[in-house]
Amino acid sequence: MSGEPPALRPAEPRDAAGIHQIEELSFASPWSLESFLSLIRSSGVEVWVAEGTGGGIWGYSVWWTVAGEAELANLAVHPEHRGTGLGGRLLDAALVGMAERGGRVAFLEVRESNAEARALYESREFQVIATRPAYYTRPVEDALIMSKALSGNVDSPNGKQM
């Protein structure tokens, strides 16, 4: 990543194509463009993007909080911008948002073989709490369910504990 770091902001319908492109580059069973448009327009779902200075979408996250439980449903960074810390920035912003919206615990699912994503989540103190056998289909693989307590354990962007 060169120049200014990308801005993190809530997604708008005009971002759906860029999000979907990253989705297709990142996952064997990508969500559809229509799914992203629906999520962006949904009042209970947070879809955030990392927008580069030239206006392109470099990464995104999808998450929600219900009754004190938060779920990170999806997070991906464009292959050209991986290894830059952008995934961590998106994850940290999601964790702050989850806590601000009353989340006490965050959950996610990750492919057992996705060592890079697991390392990111573990760096933010997520722990494996269960396995979902044969959850993924292309290829068939188990999902690890990970969780993290949020209350009082999330640093806000200004460095203060929440």
Side-chain angles (χ1 to χ4, degrees), residues 99-110:
E100 287 176 346
R101 286 158 186 78
R104 293 183 303 277
V105 62
F107 295 94
L108 61 84
E109 292 158 337
V110 62

Side-chain angles (χ1 to χ4, degrees), residues 6-153:
L8 303 185
R9 61 167 176 80
E12 301 172 4
R14 66 182 169 88
D15 301 320
I19 293 168
H20 187 249
Q21 177 190 31
I22 295 168
E23 175 81 1
E24 288 187 319
L25 293 169
S26 301
F27 300 107
S29 298
W31 294 355
S32 70
L33 176 62
E34 294 76 21
S35 293
F36 283 108
L37 282 167
S38 177
L39 290 167
I40 290 167
R41 293 179 175 132
S42 177
S43 63
V45 178
E46 297 287 336
V47 182
W48 281 69
V49 294
E51 181 179 31
T53 54
I57 303 302
W58 293 8
Y60 68 92
S61 65
V62 179
W63 55 273
W64 50 81
T65 302
V66 177
E69 293 187 356
E71 181 170 350
L72 179 68
N74 211 338
L75 186 146
V77 173
H78 192 286
E80 292 177 3
H81 301 288
R82 291 182 186 155
T84 64
L86 184 53
R89 284 187 61 213
L90 283 162
L91 178 57
D92 292 343
L95 293 170
V96 169
M98 291 170 178
E100 287 176 346
R101 286 158 186 78
R104 293 183 303 277
V105 62
F107 295 94
L108 61 84
E109 292 158 337
V110 62
R111 274 188 185 272
E112 189 170 35
S113 66
N114 191 341
E116 189 174 340
R118 289 176 59 187
L120 172 62
Y121 301 138
E122 289 167 359
S123 76
R124 300 317 194 264
E125 300 178 353
F126 276 88
Q127 296 180 348
V128 175
I129 59 167
T131 301
R132 209 175 289 256
Y135 180 76
Y136 296 102
T137 58
R138 286 195 247 164
V140 174
E141 186 173 354
D142 295 349
L144 300 179
I145 301 171
M146 301 181 82
S147 72
K148 170 192 173 59
L150 293 176
S151 291
N153 295 322

